[in-house]
Amino acid sequence: MLHSELIQIIHEHFGLTALKLTKINGYENQNFTINTKNKKYILKTYLYDSILKEELDAESQILEKLIGNISIQSPVPVKTNKNTYLYVHHTEKQSYLIRIVSFLEGTFLGEITCEASVSYDLGIAMSKLNLELKKHHFSSLRAKKSKWDLAHFDLNKPLLKFVENESLKSRIKYFFTKYDTEVRPTLTALTPQLIHGDANEWNLLSDGSSIKGIIDFGDMCQSYRICDIAICITYLCYDKRHPLEWMSDFLKAYHSNDPLTAKEIHILYYLVAARLCTSLCNSARSRHLDPENVYASSSQKNAERLLNLWFKYNPILIQNMALEAIGLKTLDSEIDAEKILNKRSLFFVKNLSLSYSEPINMKSAAFQYMYGLKGETYLDAYNNIPHVGHSHPLISEAIYKQQSTLNTNTRYLYHQLGDYAEKLLSKFPEKLCKVFFVNSGSAASDLAIRIAQAYNKRKKVLVMEHGYHGNTKIGIDISHYKYANKKGPGRQEHITKTDIPDTYRGEFTQENAGHKYAQKTIQLLSGVENEVSCFISEPIVGCGGQVPLAPGYLKELYPHLKAKGIVCISDEVQTGFGRLGFDFWGFEYHGVIPDMVILGKPMGNGHPLGAVVCSAELAEEFSKGVEFFSSFGGNPVSCAVGSAVLDIIEKEQLQNNAFLVGDYYKNELIKLSKDHPCIGNVRGSGLFLGIDLVHPNTNHTFYNLAQHVKNSFRKNHILISTDGPDDSVLKTKPPLCFNTENVDQVVTELNRALERFDYNKSSH
Ligand SMILES: Cc1ncc(COP(=O)(O)O)c(C=O)c1O
């Protein structure tokens, strides 16, 4: 519509003389400020829609009712000379709805750095507003369904496709999943009421210490007051250094007027996240439609920042802080913890070990964070099973969808088995073209030995010093780490152990160490080669203290063993699936191709999934024996999960992340070692690293120091463990979504822990 046309409408139908009409940018509809001689107004225009007409009419009626009944200013609607709130303007092409409201003078909360008192004042203002809104009922607003209403968060799901960053998309999806389980069941039990629905920093006026007014009631709808509170808290916390303090003050004030319930508080954490995700989905869509949209980009940045921070908060922490702020009883974690521990000692024996002298009670986890029962958040720098991240929504979705459709066994036909096998095998050299699915790394290593022995009809197994391959009978037999333990069963006669080719502390440390170690192993087998069935080893020996086999070792040894008919097995349970960064598999890291590969842990991201991958030749021989059947191995659910893991690694470029973040991690640790001579060696690749702690300027293991560091990490909420023959190597192998900020947290804490250690008191 032309300005002149509008000025005429304003005059004729609203009785105002517009001296100036200025377009306001940033709204989907055309909005203007009107300057008259004495006052300023806002003119809002909308394309005609009969439902919208009813909604706008209701909105204006409510605005009228708010005057004098709330503690802050709100826009006053201007009626037409026919005593209506809306003027319907028809043109040849289109009809419009036109309305005018008063303009509120003042400064937006988003424009100023405000004092902390604002949060309290906002709490009071919003409670009074909500108490007033609660009194009014309009069927048109009850019927309104908006994607900005957190009660209809799901309406934003279709917008996920506009989020380009796949990791961000997964994090948003996570909160969609949590909404289903945590929010929806509670929300539906609450009493609905009218809410403003968009009390963000650009809709609130403030003088820096208090709230003066609220504008834009366009998102008003029949929803739940806790949704409105969550929206308010989101924008209040957006850019704050200590957001939770602002949240607490707001809630304290709100509750003093309009008491909240524990049920509402329970879902607050997830509702704030839902609001952030709504904002992210919508700004992604806006940027997709208009890549130059500056507003969308800046709001995306803020929302992403707070979302990342939100993951660092344990939901229980938010819940307890909020409950405490309003004077309600917080959750009692002590009772739960005691019960859990009691049952554990009642039904289990003590060699089912627990980490730390004060064990951690875990409640939930998301991506690289784990949340304890007491409200504490742990940065997970240790667990490699949740390879693509704890509680990854695509894994949960894969399990749920397949489990609720079909879960059966390999004696029936279903496409998932072949599809997953094809996807998995595409990650291997052509020669490794057959797969057996089982349910653990142990089952895989057990089967691998059987396949090798069936192939060459030999019994002897060559194993690696400090190697670990599983908990079955065969698994223990071939794991030097277990059988040679002082409580272990000892070496079986058919087992030959070779020295770990360790270039840091081993016999050979020079450049040609790989060659020397290989020759030593060859020597060891001299005369008995024809009795040895297979050689099993990890590419980087985890339990040995993250020791990479010396460069060139496997490259020299494999051809020799293969020439003697010995099957070479690479245990990739720890090192596989892109963890090493540059290489997808550990055998690639060593430039060799084994005859057989064992998979486990990360393969199912926590779902029990393992596999043996081997050459057709080996599989063929094994197939002549008794039937191979695993009740759960390769079931449709496992296949769906395994397939999802591979998809996520690719989509979220997690191998590349392991490469980049791992490189940064290793370099930062090496830098730190310059200040701390007790860091003897930093080794490994990608996000599979070991930090060997030693008595300064020697390579003697330093058990007490490693335990001190591990425990101070625990105290400061970082999960990291120790391993190696003397339990003196810090082991870090986090989920692959670990980022450089996480690395900085670990390295800073390591520096602090090393600085705090009292060398005079500890000599071991
Ligand atoms: C290298 C290696 N192989 C095999 C296994 C056994 O896997 P699972 O515990 O799934 O049976 C493990 C477990 O820690 C391992 O680290």
Side-chain angles (χ1 to χ4, degrees):
M1 275 179 291
L2 296 171
H3 271 213
S4 55
E5 218 177 328
L6 286 170
I7 286 177
Q8 200 182 342
I9 291 169
I10 294 166
H11 187 69
E12 251 177 54
H13 300 280
F14 291 89
L16 297 172
T17 307
L19 302 176
K20 199 169 137 202
L21 200 61
T22 318
K23 191 163 184 295
I24 308 172
N25 290 326
Y27 288 86
E28 277 180 31
N29 299 306
Q30 286 205 338
N31 289 352
F32 303 83
T33 52
I34 308 170
N35 284 71
T36 66
K37 195 169 168 215
N38 302 318
K39 275 188 84 173
K40 239 173 133 179
Y41 298 89
I42 302 282
L43 175 84
K44 302 191 177 203
T45 69
Y46 312 80
L47 289 182
Y48 186 88
D49 176 287
S50 58
I51 293 175
L52 178 65
K53 183 168 178 276
E54 281 186 37
E55 289 171 2
L56 292 173
D57 195 57
E59 182 189 325
S60 299
Q61 288 187 52
I62 289 165
L63 284 178
E64 190 84 54
K65 294 197 159 103
L66 292 183
I67 305 165
N69 287 323
I70 56 173
S71 59
I72 52 174
Q73 287 189 309
S74 54
V76 178
V78 176
K79 282 189 175 173
T80 67
N81 50 18
K82 293 219 170 83
N83 206 26
T84 60
Y85 291 110
L86 290 161
Y87 168 68
V88 185
H89 179 62
H90 303 286
T91 66
E92 255 177 44
K93 284 192 202 145
Q94 189 70 56
S95 295
Y96 295 91
L97 295 166
I98 296 177
R99 62 195 277 250
I100 295 178
V101 294
S102 65
F103 177 88
L104 298 194
E105 294 290 349
T107 319
F108 288 120
L109 193 60
E111 286 176 287
I112 46 172
T113 314
C114 52
E115 291 168 25
S117 57
V118 158
S119 48
Y120 196 87
D121 207 52
L122 181 59
I124 298 286
M126 291 308 292
S127 62
K128 290 192 173 160
L129 176 62
N130 274 342
L131 282 172
E132 185 56 34
L133 289 177
K134 198 175 172 178
K135 296 178 188 163
H136 307 293
H137 303 276
F138 285 89
S139 53
S140 57
L141 296 180
R142 208 173 292 149
K144 189 172 165 183
K145 260 192 171 182
S146 156
K147 62 186 178 187
W148 293 98
D149 175 5
L150 296 179
H152 296 297
F153 179 42
D154 276 358
L155 295 178
N156 292 288
K157 268 189 187 163
L159 306 188
L160 263 172
K161 63 174 176 285
F162 297 114
V163 178
E164 283 168 8
N165 180 325
E166 292 291 339
S167 321
L168 176 62
K169 198 187 278 183
S170 293
R171 281 178 279 142
I172 297 174
K173 271 194 174 172
Y174 166 81
F175 280 117
F176 274 112
T177 318
K178 295 310 275 185
Y179 186 90
D180 286 342
T181 54
E182 306 290 328
V183 179
R184 205 191 311 281
T186 301
L187 261 195
T188 48
L190 300 176
T191 312
Q193 70 155 80
L194 277 181
I195 61 164
H196 176 277
D198 194 18
N200 73 54
E201 76 277 36
W202 300 105
N203 284 338
L204 290 165
L205 298 168
S206 168
D207 61 1
S209 58
S210 62
I211 296 295
K212 294 290 173 196
I214 185 162
I215 62 164
D216 196 353
F217 282 66
D219 286 303
M220 187 160 51
C221 58
Q222 179 88 356
S223 181
Y224 302 91
R225 64 178 177 175
I226 195 64
C227 295
D228 215 33
I229 289 169
I231 293 169
C232 239
I233 289 176
T234 305
Y235 296 100
L236 190 64
C237 292
Y238 231 32
D239 53 350
K240 304 296 186 293
R241 276 194 69 202
H242 302 291
L244 301 187
E245 289 170 18
W246 293 73
M247 176 192 81
S248 293
D249 285 349
F250 173 91
L251 289 171
K252 203 179 290 169
Y254 189 98
H255 186 74
S256 68
N257 265 325
D258 186 16
L260 297 164
T261 63
K263 253 192 195 166
E264 289 171 297
I265 295 298
H266 170 72
I267 57 176
L268 185 59
Y269 171 86
Y270 296 105
L271 285 172
V272 169
R275 178 59 179 203
L276 291 168
C277 294
T278 302
S279 165
L280 286 165
C281 287
N282 282 280
S283 51
R285 177 178 169 270
S286 303
R287 279 191 313 127
H288 175 81
L289 298 176
D290 173 14
E292 309 289 291
N293 188 331
V294 184
Y295 177 76
S297 302
S298 88
S299 86
Q300 147 119 21
K301 243 194 226 153
N302 282 334
E304 206 176 329
R305 195 195 71 84
L306 189 56
L307 191 76
N308 285 338
L309 189 63
W310 220 238
F311 274 108
K312 293 184 197 166
Y313 294 138
N314 185 329
I316 295 176
L317 172 82
I318 303 287
Q319 194 172 337
N320 279 345
M321 280 190 86
L323 287 171
E324 211 172 284
I326 63 173
L328 295 185
K329 199 172 164 292
T330 56
L331 307 176
D332 193 347
S333 63
E334 299 304 331
I335 295 174
D336 278 6
E338 220 169 280
K339 269 195 211 156
I340 295 168
L341 204 61
N342 278 348
K343 281 194 186 169
R344 184 147 173 143
S345 42
L346 204 58
F347 303 126
F348 299 91
V349 290
K350 63 178 185 297
N351 69 349
L352 183 78
S353 73
L354 269 169
S355 291
Y356 309 109
S357 48
E358 191 196 329
I360 306 174
N361 257 302
M362 291 298 184
K363 175 75 175 167
S364 59
F367 298 92
Q368 66 272 46
Y369 301 105
M370 297 190 79
Y371 308 122
L373 214 55
K374 291 182 182 161
E376 73 282 29
T377 298
Y378 297 92
L379 172 63
D380 190 354
Y382 176 63
N383 289 292
N384 57 341
I385 298 174
H387 194 63
V388 299
H390 290 274
S391 313
H392 196 293
L394 297 181
I395 302 293
S396 314
E397 187 181 75
I399 294 177
Y400 178 75
K401 271 192 180 166
Q402 191 54 52
Q403 181 64 48
S404 46
T405 307
L406 172 75
N407 200 15
T408 181
N409 63 65
T410 49
R411 288 195 177 123
Y412 300 100
L413 278 178
Y414 46 90
H415 70 87
Q416 290 84 352
L417 183 70
D419 291 351
Y420 174 44
E422 189 174 30
K423 200 182 273 186
L424 179 67
L425 291 174
S426 74
K427 295 284 179 190
F428 286 90
E430 228 171 277
K431 176 190 142 182
L432 299 172
C433 59
K434 295 283 179 193
V435 60
F436 297 83
F437 289 126
V438 287
N439 308 108
S440 67
S442 303
S445 58
D446 191 295
L447 177 63
I449 301 299
R450 285 176 52 213
I451 293 174
Q453 289 175 336
Y455 172 71
N456 52 24
K457 317 285 184 287
R458 303 175 186 172
K459 179 137 195 256
K460 281 194 167 44
V461 181
L462 177 65
V463 303
M464 178 62 68
E465 184 181 10
H466 305 312
Y468 176 64
H469 306 287
N471 61 23
T472 62
K473 166 77 175 69
I474 294 181
I476 300 291
D477 286 352
I478 60 173
S479 298
H480 174 255
Y481 176 72
K482 288 283 181 195
Y483 75 69
N485 182 289
K486 56 180 185 299
K487 292 184 187 166
R491 184 179 64 82
Q492 300 284 310
E493 213 183 311
H494 66 287
I495 302 294
T496 304
K497 178 216 76 179
T498 186
D499 288 354
I500 187 165
D502 174 0
T503 56
Y504 176 61
R505 195 176 277 115
E507 185 180 349
F508 309 114
T509 55
Q510 305 299 318
E511 242 178 36
N512 62 352
H515 161 69
K516 291 208 164 150
Y517 280 117
Q519 284 307 314
K520 201 170 172 203
T521 304
I522 290 166
Q523 279 298 312
L524 179 74
L525 296 185
S526 171
V528 291
E529 291 103 331
N530 294 340
E531 295 163 39
V532 178
S533 171
C534 55
F535 164 55
I536 184 164
S537 144
E538 299 156 73
I540 298 179
V541 185
C543 295
Q546 311 285 80
V547 180
L549 305 182
Y553 173 76
L554 290 184
K555 228 175 158 95
E556 187 163 336
L557 185 61
Y558 267 18
H560 176 87
L561 299 181
K562 287 181 183 196
K564 303 284 177 194
I566 299 171
V567 176
C568 296
I569 307 171
S570 184
D571 182 339
E572 301 279 349
V573 167
Q574 296 271 351
T575 49
F577 293 92
R579 172 161 297 280
L580 299 189
F582 192 77
D583 301 292
F584 200 80
W585 303 113
F587 60 80
E588 290 168 335
Y589 174 78
H590 288 290
V592 294
I593 299 180
D595 304 304
M596 198 151 31
V597 172
I598 291 168
L599 306 176
K601 291 191 196 282
M603 191 179 179
N605 212 55
H607 179 86
L609 198 51
V612 174
V613 172
C614 66
S615 64
E617 209 185 340
L618 283 169
E620 177 59 27
E621 205 50 44
F622 185 70
S623 74
K624 292 176 189 162
V626 289
E627 179 203 21
F628 166 73
F629 178 68
S630 162
S631 296
F632 306 126
N635 73 54
V637 172
S638 297
C639 292
V641 174
S643 184
V645 168
L646 289 172
D647 290 345
I648 297 166
I649 294 172
E650 196 157 314
K651 265 206 255 172
E652 296 185 19
Q653 301 177 20
L654 292 177
Q655 185 185 350
N656 193 41
N657 194 59
F659 174 66
L660 297 174
V661 177
D663 209 39
Y664 176 75
Y665 201 173
K666 195 170 177 182
N667 282 331
E668 288 301 298
L669 290 169
I670 290 171
K671 267 196 239 163
L672 191 69
S673 73
K674 309 279 182 246
D675 297 330
H676 295 282
C678 59
I679 301 181
N681 189 222
V682 177
R683 55 183 175 245
S685 176
L687 287 172
F688 195 67
L689 301 174
I691 308 152
D692 202 322
L693 297 180
V694 294
H695 286 269
N697 306 316
T698 71
N699 70 357
H700 301 154
T701 59
F702 204 159
Y703 170 79
N704 280 352
L705 177 59
Q707 300 314 305
H708 158 80
V709 172
K710 179 172 91 173
N711 289 318
S712 60
F713 269 128
R714 187 243 184 272
K715 259 192 221 142
N716 291 291
H717 302 153
I718 296 174
L719 303 179
I720 237 173
S721 193
T722 53
D723 215 330
D726 293 331
D727 217 6
S728 58
V729 180
L730 299 173
K731 215 169 158 175
T732 175
K733 41 183 186 144
L736 296 196
C737 48
F738 214 63
N739 59 37
T740 52
E741 193 197 322
N742 300 146
V743 168
D744 291 340
Q745 192 185 336
V746 174
V747 175
T748 306
E749 188 44 47
L750 177 57
N751 182 38
R752 265 195 227 134
L754 293 176
E755 276 174 354
R756 277 196 302 256
F757 186 68
D758 185 351
Y759 286 88
N760 297 325
K761 276 197 185 154
S762 190
S763 54
H764 298 289

